[in-house]
Amino acid sequence: MPRPSNTAERRAQIARALLKIMAERGYEGASIGAIAAAAHIAPGLVHYHFESKREILLAAVALLAQDHRDRLDRLLAAAGDDPAAELRAFIDAHLRVGAQADPEALACWICVGGEALRDDGVREAFAGALEGAVQRLVAIARRGARARVFSLPRAEIDAAAAAVVATLQGYFVLAATARHLIPPGSAADAAWAMASGLFGLSPATRRASR
Amino acid sequence: MPRPSNTAERRAQIARALLKIMAERGYEGASIGAIAAAAHIAPGLVHYHFESKREILLAAVALLAQDHRDRLDRLLAAAGDDPAAELRAFIDAHLRVGAQADPEALACWICVGGEALRDDGVREAFAGALEGAVQRLVAIARRGARARVFSLPRAEIDAAAAAVVATLQGYFVLAATARHLIPPGSAADAAWAMASGLFGLSPATRRASR
Amino acid sequence: MPRPSNTAERRAQIARALLKIMAERGYEGASIGAIAAAAHIAPGLVHYHFESKREILLAAVALLAQDHRDRLDRLLAAAGDDPAAELRAFIDAHLRVGAQADPEALACWICVGGEALRDDGVREAFAGALEGAVQRLVAIARRGARARVFSLPRAEIDAAAAAVVATLQGYFVLAATARHLIPPGSAADAAWAMASGLFGLSPATRRASR
Amino acid sequence: MPRPSNTAERRAQIARALLKIMAERGYEGASIGAIAAAAHIAPGLVHYHFESKREILLAAVALLAQDHRDRLDRLLAAAGDDPAAELRAFIDAHLRVGAQADPEALACWICVGGEALRDDGVREAFAGALEGAVQRLVAIARRGARARVFSLPRAEIDAAAAAVVATLQGYFVLAATARHLIPPGSAADAAWAMASGLFGLSPATRRASR
DNA sequence: GATGAATGAGGCTTCATTCAT
DNA sequence: TATGAATGAAGCCTCATTCAT
């Protein structure tokens, strides 16, 4: 009569504790002891559920990415079938700060980017999440192009999507480190102007979606 | 007769050593010992020239920013007085990879962004560098607007400049962690399309500057 | 109706698992987890059957000694009643390497000798096994002396037996750590020469038993 | 004006501290903290002078072997040119317990033998020391054979030397773990009887050297 | 009996910093 | 200025042992 395994929840609990600490102290600053304390468990338990600290990071990145995907799914679903609306929703999901803004996730995401420089596993996860975003945009662009809502050459879709993702990522960094450089409320609009320009949205529609 | 002080050079030497190590191991991974080894000096000497490891980081960020400013000065000077050419040169300076690309500086810059989340001094230096970039763009935009090369409302100049800087910063992150997402050669062109759009450059001039 | 106790087998199973691990990682290196894995049981079960890790070691030493005794019984029985043959069989049982050689037991035995330095219980078991070997030799020597096959003074029997046991033990160490120092096949013969000399076996019989 | 390096002495100091602790707690039981305490230095200093705990062990084994070689040199020098006397001195050096007996070194030697099972570096050092002993015996045997003091075939010299070394090593183990099995004072005599037998010393000389 | 989670101590190692020379 | 030894505090990880089920 063994006790039912709770490993899955524990792992998530620990990974979330890492995110919490990492947001304010960085990955290196998130000691196993601090993580355990944040998760309200004994330090030794951490390494019962994870091989190494790095594994926790990988799990945490996966959580972060999943959370983000989920949120995006929700917000894009509300955009219905209109590619322009989807594009706008995509941008707003990333840049509209409001009730659902999550500064912790933002800080973590930047930390993860830093770790990705040195750890292939992290890089893969990080790049994977970015790629996911790019592919969503590509899908939106293709549908929009087919529906003649966008008018950009097939060959430029990838570049346009990457540019949009880069802009969003860059805004993250600015928002987290030099917020005063972004005129309040301007981020989403500027990104939208830029994206709709790249996607070849007609000026009329463009303005309508502001 | 005291020997002439060489503190200034030593400090630069040490700060550059930090950059070298930090590029591949991160800030935490750059131990004083490793820095000293990279600078070809004894470990004890490091703390003779710097109060603490953090001071080295601050000096290194300053170096990084100065190097970047210098490079930008050089490249913008070549653009003459034409605001559109300056804008293009500004973008190319950041995204054109070629002989002068510096992956080490790139990695360091991302690391510094991460540290900026936690250290106010680093944040100031990092944000200061970003602000410098924004202001250059603002200056270009103003001159361009006055010369009717750009047609963007005064009130939107700051937002546009911030958006461009965000895009460049975002491309840095992508280039360092998920280069395959950027179609080769597309970064500068996409950023240019975006920037010239935001700045209200006439389509004709836009194409001419590709 | 309680299920029938299987404690005895479980204990043996666990102790044998310790021997297996200890042979290649030493006693300290044999973690409870590793032992449990080698025994194909859950880690928690180990401490149900044993008070402590040390108890497992004691049980393992007992097993090792018993195995050795059993093997010796079998081999000496084949030597019939002839003291010289018994002596030779005794030596061969320890030094003839062949199908029945057991490098795992050899390594364990040396480990146990090391632990005996620090743990009185282990020392007793280890010394007990050595004493058993000495006593067997003493018995053989006494019978041989009575039968005039050996010609050594009563007072020297103990010393001779101890010397033989020391030699065997020493060969174990050499075999396990510096096998190349032992000319192949020479161990049993040299030990025999030495033992028969100490026991005062007539040169003729000596040669006959080679 | 750097401080003169004291690394060599520090290393020896630390290695000797390890021997001291290892004698009573074993290698695993000799924690870095305990070693540092025994050496009267701060814990951190240990790893300034040694890469790893294992390196300390290797240094300690080297010290142990060197000490032993030195002692042997001294004792053998006193035996003059007489091979039989040298053989006797060799045995006495190892088995005569008296003022110069060193139970700490004895315990360490057995520990080292245990570690040799698992660590190739240790094995090499341990086997090297044993080989040194064998070679000394071989040299004595050769000179004795040439001088017709010993009468053993060339081909058996190696085996005889190995047998003697095995016996000495075995006596070490017995002395450290089951001393009561060795009739007091019998070890050197029994080993001598055995060695002189193997070396083919004439019975007359044999008795004379007791 | 059996399972696997939980605990907390302790080990090795790294490191920023200080200090004697 | 410069050197390299010295210090002590963490940090990651392992582990024997206990416990709830």
Side-chain angles (χ1 to χ4, degrees):
Chain A
M1 277 130 252
R3 167 194 300 193
S5 170
N6 62 347
T7 299
E9 300 103 71
R10 274 281 191 257
R11 283 177 62 96
Q13 180 185 359
I14 292 167
R16 292 218 182 270
L18 167 59
L19 291 177
K20 189 167 164 185
I21 309 292
M22 189 165 63
E24 55 185 21
R25 293 191 230 165
Y27 175 62
E28 306 279 339
S31 70
I32 297 291
I35 294 171
H40 305 292
I41 59 176
L45 193 53
V46 173
H47 276 88
Y48 178 78
H49 291 288
F50 285 97
E51 285 279 318
S52 68
K53 191 180 163 185
R54 182 177 167 273
E55 300 286 328
I56 314 178
L57 177 58
L58 292 177
V61 176
L63 274 186
L64 216 47
Q66 186 62 51
D67 284 355
H68 181 252
R69 257 195 313 275
D70 291 347
R71 182 157 171 274
L72 215 49
D73 281 340
R74 229 179 316 115
L75 294 172
L76 285 193
D81 260 354
D82 177 9
E86 280 183 305
L87 178 58
R88 178 79 213 195
F90 186 92
I91 288 170
D92 286 355
H94 290 91
L95 298 183
R96 272 267 183 264
V97 292
Q100 67 273 60
D102 186 348
E104 182 187 301
L106 179 58
C108 284
W109 191 244
I110 293 172
C111 285
V112 169
E115 297 306 318
L117 295 175
R118 295 180 283 284
D119 184 306
D120 283 344
V122 176
R123 169 153 53 229
E124 263 169 59
F126 185 75
L130 292 176
E131 185 162 7
V134 168
Q135 283 173 345
R136 266 175 201 264
L137 281 174
V138 166
I140 293 173
R142 287 208 180 123
R143 252 179 310 121
R146 228 176 298 126
R148 317 236 172 221
V149 183
F150 303 148
S151 64
L152 79 171
R154 284 234 135 210
E156 289 178 16
I157 287 183
D158 287 347
V164 172
V165 167
T167 300
L168 300 181
Q169 174 72 34
Y171 265 122
F172 290 166
V173 176
L174 261 71
T177 60
R179 170 150 286 171
H180 65 281
L181 295 181
I182 310 174
S186 75
D189 285 344
W192 167 245
M194 172 242 182
S196 53
L198 284 177
F199 278 49
L201 194 60
S202 74
T205 323
R206 215 184 283 192
R207 246 169 279 117
S209 300
R210 276 249 183 127
Chain B
M1 195 165 66
R3 65 184 106 172
S5 168
N6 61 351
T7 299
E9 302 102 74
R10 275 280 192 254
R11 282 177 62 95
Q13 181 183 1
I14 292 168
R16 290 217 185 272
L18 168 58
L19 291 176
K20 191 166 161 186
I21 307 292
M22 189 165 62
E24 53 187 22
R25 295 192 228 163
Y27 174 63
E28 305 280 339
S31 69
I32 298 290
I35 294 170
H40 305 292
I41 60 175
L45 194 52
V46 173
H47 273 83
Y48 177 82
H49 292 287
F50 286 97
E51 279 287 313
S52 68
K53 191 180 164 186
R54 183 177 166 274
E55 301 286 328
I56 314 177
L57 177 57
L58 292 176
V61 177
L63 273 186
L64 214 48
Q66 186 61 52
D67 284 355
H68 182 250
R69 258 194 312 275
D70 290 348
R71 182 158 171 275
L72 216 48
D73 282 342
R74 226 178 318 117
L75 293 171
L76 286 192
D81 261 354
D82 176 8
E86 280 184 304
L87 178 57
R88 179 77 214 195
F90 186 92
I91 288 169
D92 286 355
H94 290 91
L95 297 184
R96 274 266 184 263
V97 292
Q100 65 272 63
D102 185 349
E104 181 187 302
L106 178 58
C108 284
W109 191 244
I110 293 173
C111 285
V112 169
E115 297 306 317
L117 296 175
R118 294 179 285 284
D119 183 304
D120 284 344
V122 176
R123 170 154 50 228
E124 263 169 58
F126 184 76
L130 292 175
E131 185 162 8
V134 168
Q135 283 173 347
R136 266 175 201 264
L137 280 173
V138 166
I140 293 172
R142 288 207 180 122
R143 250 179 309 121
R146 230 176 295 129
R148 316 237 171 222
V149 182
F150 302 148
S151 64
L152 79 171
R154 285 235 137 209
E156 289 178 17
I157 288 184
D158 287 349
V164 172
V165 167
T167 299
L168 299 181
Q169 175 71 33
Y171 265 122
F172 290 168
V173 177
L174 261 69
T177 60
R179 171 149 285 170
H180 66 281
L181 295 181
I182 311 175
S186 74
D189 285 345
W192 168 246
M194 173 241 182
S196 54
L198 285 176
F199 277 50
L201 192 62
S202 75
T205 322
R206 213 184 285 191
R207 245 167 280 118
S209 299
R210 277 249 183 128
Chain C
M1 197 166 63
R3 61 186 109 173
S5 168
N6 61 350
T7 299
E9 301 104 74
R10 274 283 192 252
R11 283 177 63 95
Q13 180 184 0
I14 292 168
R16 292 218 184 270
L18 168 59
L19 291 176
K20 191 166 162 186
I21 306 292
M22 189 165 64
E24 53 186 22
R25 296 192 228 164
Y27 175 62
E28 305 279 339
S31 68
I32 298 289
I35 295 171
H40 304 294
I41 61 175
L45 194 52
V46 173
H47 274 81
Y48 179 83
H49 291 288
F50 287 97
E51 279 287 315
S52 70
K53 191 179 162 184
R54 184 177 166 273
E55 300 286 328
I56 314 178
L57 177 58
L58 292 177
V61 177
L63 273 186
L64 213 49
Q66 185 61 51
D67 284 354
H68 182 251
R69 258 195 313 275
D70 290 347
R71 181 157 172 274
L72 216 48
D73 282 342
R74 226 179 319 118
L75 293 171
L76 285 193
D81 261 354
D82 176 7
E86 280 184 304
L87 179 56
R88 178 79 212 192
F90 186 92
I91 289 169
D92 286 355
H94 290 90
L95 298 183
R96 273 268 183 263
V97 293
Q100 65 272 62
D102 186 349
E104 181 187 303
L106 178 58
C108 284
W109 191 244
I110 292 174
C111 284
V112 169
E115 296 306 317
L117 296 175
R118 295 179 285 282
D119 183 306
D120 285 342
V122 175
R123 169 153 52 230
E124 263 169 58
F126 185 75
L130 291 176
E131 184 161 7
V134 168
Q135 284 174 346
R136 265 175 201 263
L137 279 174
V138 167
I140 294 173
R142 289 208 178 122
R143 253 181 306 123
R146 228 176 296 129
R148 317 240 171 219
V149 182
F150 302 148
S151 65
L152 80 171
R154 284 235 137 209
E156 290 179 16
I157 287 184
D158 286 349
V164 172
V165 167
T167 300
L168 299 182
Q169 175 72 33
Y171 265 123
F172 290 167
V173 176
L174 262 69
T177 60
R179 169 149 287 169
H180 65 282
L181 296 180
I182 311 174
S186 75
D189 285 345
W192 168 247
M194 172 240 182
S196 53
L198 284 177
F199 277 50
L201 193 61
S202 75
T205 321
R206 214 184 285 190
R207 245 168 279 117
S209 300
R210 275 248 184 130
Chain D
M1 277 130 251
R3 165 193 303 190
S5 171
N6 63 347
T7 299
E9 301 102 71
R10 274 281 190 258
R11 283 177 62 96
Q13 181 183 359
I14 292 168
R16 292 220 183 271
L18 167 59
L19 292 176
K20 189 167 163 187
I21 307 291
M22 189 165 64
E24 54 186 21
R25 294 191 230 165
Y27 175 62
E28 305 278 341
S31 70
I32 297 291
I35 294 171
H40 304 292
I41 60 176
L45 193 53
V46 173
H47 276 86
Y48 178 79
H49 292 287
F50 286 96
E51 285 279 318
S52 68
K53 190 180 166 185
R54 183 177 167 273
E55 299 287 327
I56 313 177
L57 177 57
L58 292 176
V61 176
L63 274 186
L64 215 48
Q66 186 60 51
D67 285 354
H68 181 252
R69 259 195 312 275
D70 291 347
R71 181 157 172 276
L72 215 49
D73 281 340
R74 228 180 315 116
L75 294 171
L76 285 193
D81 260 354
D82 177 6
E86 280 184 304
L87 179 58
R88 179 78 212 194
F90 186 92
I91 289 169
D92 285 354
H94 290 91
L95 297 183
R96 274 268 183 262
V97 291
Q100 66 273 61
D102 186 349
E104 182 186 303
L106 179 58
C108 284
W109 191 245
I110 293 173
C111 285
V112 170
E115 296 306 317
L117 296 175
R118 293 180 284 284
D119 185 305
D120 284 342
V122 176
R123 168 153 54 227
E124 262 169 59
F126 184 76
L130 292 175
E131 183 161 10
V134 167
Q135 284 173 345
R136 267 176 200 263
L137 280 174
V138 166
I140 293 173
R142 288 210 178 121
R143 251 179 310 121
R146 229 176 296 127
R148 316 233 173 227
V149 182
F150 302 148
S151 65
L152 78 172
R154 284 234 135 209
E156 290 180 15
I157 287 184
D158 286 348
V164 172
V165 167
T167 300
L168 300 180
Q169 175 70 34
Y171 264 123
F172 290 167
V173 177
L174 261 70
T177 60
R179 172 150 284 170
H180 65 281
L181 294 182
I182 310 174
S186 75
D189 285 345
W192 167 246
M194 173 239 182
S196 54
L198 284 176
F199 277 49
L201 193 62
S202 75
T205 322
R206 214 183 286 192
R207 247 169 278 115
S209 299
R210 276 249 185 132

